[in-house]
Structure formats: structure tokens, C-alpha cells
Amino acid sequence: MNRSVVFLFLCAASFGSALAAERVERSVVILAGANAGFQEARYADNGKLDVHFEFNDRGRGPNLDASYQLDAQGMPTSATLKGVDYLKAPVDESWSRVGDTLSWKNASEDEKRTVTGPTFFLGLNQVPEDGALLARALLAAADNRLALQPSGEAGISKLASVEVKGAPGTRTIDLYAVSGLGLLPDYIWLDEDQQFFATYSGWMTMIREGYEDSIKTIGDRQELEEKRLAESRAKSLTRVLDKPLLIRNVRVFDPPSGEVVDARSVLIDDGRIVSIGAADVTLLPGVDEFDGGGQFLMPGLWDMHVHFSGGSDGLLELASGVTTVRDMANQTDVLTGLIEGIESGKDIGPRIIRAGIIDGKGPFAGPTKVLVENEEEAIAAVNDYAASGHEQIKIYSSVKPELMPVIAKAAHAKGLRVSGHVPAYMTAQQFVENGADEIQHINMLFLNFMFDKVQDTRTPARFTAVAEYGAELDLSSPEVVAFIKLLKDRNIVIDPTVGTFEDMFLSRPGVPGPGFAAIVDRFPSTWQRQIRSGAGGLEMKPEQVALFRDSYQNMVNMVGVLYRSGVHIVPGTDNLAGMTLPREFELYVESGIPPMNVLQIATIGSAEVMKREDEYGRVAPGYVSDLILVDGDPTINMADIRKVRTTIRGDRMYDADALFKAVSIEPTPKQ
């Protein structure tokens, strides 16, 4: 399950200041405006609590049953959890505390330790009710803080109150922030009796049944608080460059040339590069100076596949040197608000290019309100996206194959690019021949050659089929060669997101994949535990471990074959903001692409795809001053791209270490 979803639901559940006999509390899960699932919690008068939780996200999503024993104060003393996780891998875990002895067991851990005093145990897998139990414990604890087990500490504070109306009546609800679980505080709404009411985000919300019409009310108020905190962060972490700035003593890498020039100075003013000269150039009056310390200066990076959600995302992007992202699916009004906040200087974040998602109706529809069933609806959806500033259409898996060329024609008429998942019951070749400009995800290329095995790719079959059969695909076969030639001849762009499949195919309980290995030590302890557990991988039998590994390696190999065949690749993560992009680059290098060329792909190459190559992606006079300073040389060692020390986004300058610290992440160690 995506970690942002895990931490959203950690704090969502019914909440009570006192247990009542046979109290039943039901909350509904709203995903992109559609009812996607529910939680039902049953409190008995003997301290027993039973919870069922499930939701459907395109065939993915957990289905879990939890049982707890609570003490007289409502604190859990033991629990069991069974079912399946977000990717349908089995879950079977338990824990208990008897006196000062705490023991727990799950697919990755089997431990026992001595603990003293009040503590709260966090299961490796959880249902939303765990968040309610934690909130109750925090409100009852001294200073509203409590030690977490196996590690960490959490706290809670009240932020705001609003009145809401629903079928069950009018309630006054309070907004609380819970700290210590994620990178930024998590939010939970409780009613006047301190019972659960809602957790809210622009993407996914869980709310007490009967109050669904209150989502906008609570969302607007919570966003006011989030904006207040964001504005405070922006004020303290942003250096506005209101005078010309001379960046002295840097090694300059301008991607089109492929050269690194030592001992240079770069003058920027009003968000643009003015000139590039010798390191000892004379400083003119009225110009500020910044000593680059011999660091590597290059254009800011591009991530061409994100789902920007605000909060920590913007800080992580800039701290990682990412100055431009392409959002590949979002709620239009939510994303518009996030962009306005960033561009006005009231929030921190990269430049955001918008791609609008279109899907078809059905049980596996994507997380969007834009669902089309006929030509009229499809054309109207394209027109709406064009009018709202989107530059690209992303077609999703449930779109009817016969509507795909209709969407492509309408989009091209409006000057929009067309990309996406290959719709179910359609091959990638057909997708290209019917007007696509780009394909998201490397697995979609493999599925082109597995049409005899899987045609309905709306479900996780689009992952499992490639895991099971991808290793046997011969990348030098006539069929593959002909398909790649078609991609090249039609100037098709591939957004492989190969890194997002690494841990999916290679992680298993107790054995994490390598995707986060270089950065795991820098996260809060709660995140470290999740990563090291191996959670998030596909279910695999012992005899399938090597097969899945070989299939994944073939996906990496495909990236290299595409590049050497002249197919245009763009780097995208579809994963944790900013910090997972370097791993994507490393995998490109592993596929056989030289580091310097990877950096070209991630700068001027991406700018070319989005028709911005005349202003972005270079270190040259007249170009926008989106620049990063790196402690190392990623043209030689790609791992050095994690050592961004300073990010300049036009007329704003950021210290990367300070940005990381602001979201509870340790900076990259200095050399």
C-alpha cells in the first residue's frame, strides 16, 4: 500500500471517550469523489473490539479484520490482524502486552521485549481504528505525548473547530494534529464527544457515515490550517533573490554539450541566467555573492510522473533538486490551489505541468471523477482539461478501446499530448497506432506481448502477469524489435517508472527490495520499520522469487534497449516525492545508459517533450535559473545526485539540508 495512503488512514477511525455496550461505528471511504469502501468498528462492553476495513482502488486495496482486547481505560493490550494488504498479499499478525512484557509477530518480525510505563504499539499493518485508539491514548497521556513501540514518540494538539450538518444531526467537530507518525503531522477530526468524525485529503477521505456532504466544509477548514503552516514554512525556508546573484566557483554542466567546465561563475537576475564567466570575475555593486565551493552546478531535475499532493511533497522535490514535475492525475481544483500557493510564494514546491486523467466507468475505474462512456462525454472531458490549463491527457485502463482514438483526436485538436496506461483489451501497439504520443510504465510494453495471457489489465494482473512471464520475453526477438521500431518511427515517448516496480517485484516479508536502501536510514523510525519489513511487494511463492527477480531485470534491460534504439525516454517516479528519482536514474545507468546521458534525459530531454527547451534544461544565458548545486559529480557517479546542497528555482533559493530537516528527514551526509 502506498505509504501516503498508509499514514492517511492511520489516523482515521471512530473515536470515543468512553466505551459503550455494543457500540457500532461505521465510516465510509471516499476515493476521488467515489465511495470506495468502509470501516466498521464494534465495541463490546467486555473490552473486546472487532474491526473490519476494506476499500477498492482499481482492484487493489486492503481487506482486513482486526480484534483487540482493551483495558479499563480503552488502551489496547493485545490484538490480531488477518486478511490481505493493499497489493493483496496475506496479512497475519498479532501482539500482546502482559505486564512489562511486549511480544509481537508478523510476516517480517517475531520479537519480545521489556517495556515500562504507558506505551502504544503500532502494528506493521493496521486498520484505521488504530489511529483512533492512538488518539485516545494521546489525549489521556501526560503532556499529550506517548512513547510508541517498537520505536518513536507521538503527540497530539487541537487546531480548530467547525459545525457540520448531516442526516444524523448537527455536530461540532474539532481538528487535531498527530505528530510522530510521518514526515508532517497527520490530521483527524473528532466530534464534541471525542469520537471519530473524519480524516481528509484532496485525494482520499474517510468520514462518518451520513455526513458525506460535509466533506467540503471540513476540507476547506483543514486546508486553511495546512496553508497557514505551509506559509510559515515558506517564509522561514525561502530566500527570495531580490537582487542579482553571482554564484562563484562552481563546475558547470550544460546538458546539451555534455561537458563539465571547472572554475566558473554564474550570474542570475530576476529568475534568469544572465552570464557565465570565470570564477574570479569582479563582483559589481548591487550584486549578492554565493560561494559555490567548487560544487557541481547543473539545471534543475525534472520528474515526469508524479501525483502532487502538497504537504511534504514540495519540500522533498526541491530538497532533492527537482524543480519541475509533471502531475499525471489529480483533482483539478485541488491541484490548481496547490499551484497557486506555490507560485504566490505561500508554499514551497516545484513548477507543475498538468496532465488530466480520463477513465471509463466500472469496478476498476481510476481515482478520478472524469469517467466517460461515449464520444460526447470523451470530447467534453478533453475540452474541460484544455480549458483548465492541462497540457496532456492521460488515458486510463477502463477507457473503452473504441473511445481511445476519439480522445486522441480531440486532444490533438486542442494541442494536447496524449499518453496513459494502455486500456484493457487493447495492446500497446494498437494504442500507438490510434494516436498515443506516450506510454506510462514499462510493464505496459511487456503486456503488448502477453495479450494471449492477460487482456483485462484494469486489475493487478497488469503487474502479476509481467512478474510471472516477463523473464521469458526475448528483447531481441523480431516481434520486440518491430515494436520498438514503431515507437521510434512515431516518436513515441516512454515514461518507464522502472523504479516503482523494483520493490513491488523484489520485496517480500523480511526482505526489503533495494529501492530505498540508500536512503532508509534518513527517515523517521516509523518509516524505517515499514521499509525494512519488505512490505509493498507482490505476493510470491518461494519458488517464484528468482523468477520475479529475472522478470524485473528484463524490465530494466528493456529501458536500455529502448534508449539505444533511439526511443525518447523521460524519467518519472510515481513514488515518494523527490527522493526516489535518484534510484530511477541509477536503474537507467544499470540498463546501460551513461550517467551523463541520464542527466540529459532528466533536464533538456524532458523540457523538449513538454516544448520548454528554449527556456528550461540548460545552464546558458537567457534560460530560467532553475539550478542545483551538487556535492560530487553525477556524470561519473550517479549516486552523487543525492547530494544536492542548494536548489534555485528561478528567483527563490533553498538550502536542501534545511528542507529535509523541516520534514523530519536527515540530510544527505556530507563528504
Side-chain angles (χ1 to χ4, degrees), residues 95-387:
W95 70 270
S96 66
R97 178 176 178 178
V98 180
D100 291 340
T101 301
L102 174 68
S103 58
W104 68 97
K105 183 177 182 179
N106 53 57
S108 304
E109 304 166 327
D110 187 357
E111 300 186 33
K112 179 183 292 187
R113 69 173 56 163
T114 299
V115 297
T116 59
T119 65
F120 191 94
F121 181 80
L122 293 178
L124 186 60
N125 293 279
Q126 299 159 8
V127 295
E129 197 71 14
D130 285 297
L133 295 169
L134 173 60
R136 173 163 52 216
L138 290 170
L139 289 168
D143 299 323
N144 298 136
R145 301 198 64 81
L146 196 60
L148 301 175
Q149 295 293 340
S151 63
E153 182 180 80
I156 192 168
S157 59
K158 182 178 175 180
L159 301 179
S161 300
V162 298
E163 186 178 274
V164 295
K165 297 179 180 180
T170 300
R171 307 301 297 262
T172 298
I173 60 173
D174 301 319
L175 175 63
Y176 288 86
V178 178
S179 60
L181 302 178
L183 306 186
L184 292 172
D186 297 284
Y187 298 101
I188 182 170
W189 288 90
L190 311 176
D191 69 13
E192 58 269 70
D193 299 319
Q194 293 189 337
Q195 296 186 34
F196 168 79
F197 193 85
T199 54
Y200 166 85
S201 81
W203 190 260
M204 185 179 288
T205 295
M206 184 164 163
I207 190 165
R208 183 180 300 176
E209 192 171 53
Y211 287 91
E212 292 87 339
D213 290 343
S214 299
I215 291 176
K216 186 178 187 306
T217 299
I218 66 170
D220 289 348
R221 184 60 189 86
Q222 182 174 312
E223 287 173 3
L224 282 177
E225 188 65 24
E226 291 173 341
K227 289 176 182 177
R228 183 188 68 79
L229 297 174
E231 190 167 352
S232 176
R233 288 193 300 268
K235 184 176 181 179
S236 64
L237 294 169
T238 304
R239 175 183 172 184
V240 178
L241 302 177
D242 51 8
K243 293 193 296 184
L245 179 69
L246 181 67
I247 308 169
R248 194 187 293 278
N249 187 24
V250 289
R251 305 175 65 236
V252 172
F253 173 64
D254 182 34
S257 72
E259 298 179 350
V260 180
V261 182
D262 293 337
R264 309 302 287 169
S265 291
V266 178
L267 179 64
I268 63 175
D269 185 25
D270 197 24
R272 298 269 175 174
I273 299 170
V274 176
S275 62
I276 303 167
D280 59 355
V281 65
T282 301
L283 183 67
L284 298 175
V287 176
D288 286 341
E289 185 175 21
F290 181 82
D291 183 6
Q295 292 181 343
F296 183 96
L297 184 144
M298 65 172 288
L301 305 171
W302 289 51
D303 187 336
M304 296 284 275
H305 196 132
V306 310
H307 300 282
F308 194 82
S309 61
S312 62
D313 281 8
L315 286 79
L316 290 178
E317 299 286 11
L318 292 182
S320 302
V322 180
T323 54
T324 302
V325 300
R326 184 177 62 178
D327 187 286
M328 293 305 297
N330 220 310
Q331 305 304 307
T332 297
D333 54 344
V334 172
L335 186 59
T336 297
L338 293 171
I339 293 172
E340 289 174 351
I342 292 170
E343 296 306 320
S344 67
K346 295 180 179 180
D347 202 350
I348 294 173
R351 305 179 194 277
I352 301 175
I353 298 170
R354 288 177 277 190
I357 184 173
I358 297 176
D359 204 4
K361 296 178 181 179
F364 305 108
T368 177
K369 300 175 184 177
V370 185
L371 305 174
V372 302
E373 287 291 288
N374 53 54
E375 291 191 13
E376 182 180 358
E377 292 176 352
I379 294 171
V382 171
N383 291 341
D384 287 345
Y385 277 131

Side-chain angles (χ1 to χ4, degrees), residues 302-508:
W302 289 51
D303 187 336
M304 296 284 275
H305 196 132
V306 310
H307 300 282
F308 194 82
S309 61
S312 62
D313 281 8
L315 286 79
L316 290 178
E317 299 286 11
L318 292 182
S320 302
V322 180
T323 54
T324 302
V325 300
R326 184 177 62 178
D327 187 286
M328 293 305 297
N330 220 310
Q331 305 304 307
T332 297
D333 54 344
V334 172
L335 186 59
T336 297
L338 293 171
I339 293 172
E340 289 174 351
I342 292 170
E343 296 306 320
S344 67
K346 295 180 179 180
D347 202 350
I348 294 173
R351 305 179 194 277
I352 301 175
I353 298 170
R354 288 177 277 190
I357 184 173
I358 297 176
D359 204 4
K361 296 178 181 179
F364 305 108
T368 177
K369 300 175 184 177
V370 185
L371 305 174
V372 302
E373 287 291 288
N374 53 54
E375 291 191 13
E376 182 180 358
E377 292 176 352
I379 294 171
V382 171
N383 291 341
D384 287 345
Y385 277 131
S388 58
H390 290 73
E391 301 179 33
Q392 185 162 322
I393 296 298
K394 178 183 179 182
I395 295 172
Y396 211 65
S397 303
S398 293
V399 166
K400 295 176 181 177
E402 61 267 26
L403 291 181
M404 185 264 150
V406 174
I407 294 171
K409 182 179 179 180
H412 290 152
K414 291 288 186 178
L416 276 60
R417 293 175 49 76
V418 177
S419 72
H421 292 200
V422 177
Y425 308 105
M426 194 176 202
T427 67
Q429 180 170 331
Q430 292 169 339
F431 190 58
V432 169
E433 291 172 343
N434 280 278
D437 303 301
E438 180 178 339
I439 298 175
Q440 265 69 56
H441 307 303
I442 195 71
N443 65 317
M444 291 291 163
L445 305 189
F446 277 71
L447 290 168
N448 186 71
F449 306 98
M450 300 176 186
F451 203 62
D452 59 328
K453 297 180 176 66
V454 57
Q455 297 181 16
D456 187 354
T457 53
R458 298 173 299 169
T459 73
R462 64 177 177 263
F463 310 129
T464 56
V466 177
E468 293 172 1
Y469 303 109
E472 61 190 51
L473 182 64
D474 182 358
L475 302 187
S476 62
S477 67
E479 295 82 6
V480 173
V481 171
F483 176 65
I484 292 176
K485 183 177 185 300
L486 174 69
L487 298 179
K488 180 179 183 299
D489 290 347
R490 299 221 177 186
N491 298 313
I492 303 301
V493 174
I494 302 299
D495 165 24
T497 66
V498 69
T500 199
F501 298 102
E502 185 171 35
D503 288 349
M504 183 188 294
F505 280 39
L506 303 185
S507 292
R508 58 190 190 277

Side-chain angles (χ1 to χ4, degrees), residues 608-658:
E608 288 171 352
V609 169
M610 301 315 299
K611 300 179 181 178
R612 285 167 166 77
E613 70 274 20
D614 292 334
E615 290 191 288
Y616 295 88
R618 292 197 61 187
V619 183
Y623 273 71
V624 172
S625 52
D626 285 359
L627 305 168
I628 60 175
L629 277 75
V630 181
D631 188 9
D633 189 341
T635 65
I636 298 172
N637 178 18
M638 184 52 70
D640 284 349
I641 200 65
R642 292 190 180 89
K643 301 174 183 177
V644 173
R645 301 302 178 197
T646 303
T647 298
I648 299 173
R649 182 198 183 278
D651 61 356
R652 309 173 195 181
M653 189 172 186
Y654 300 93
D655 178 85
D657 289 2

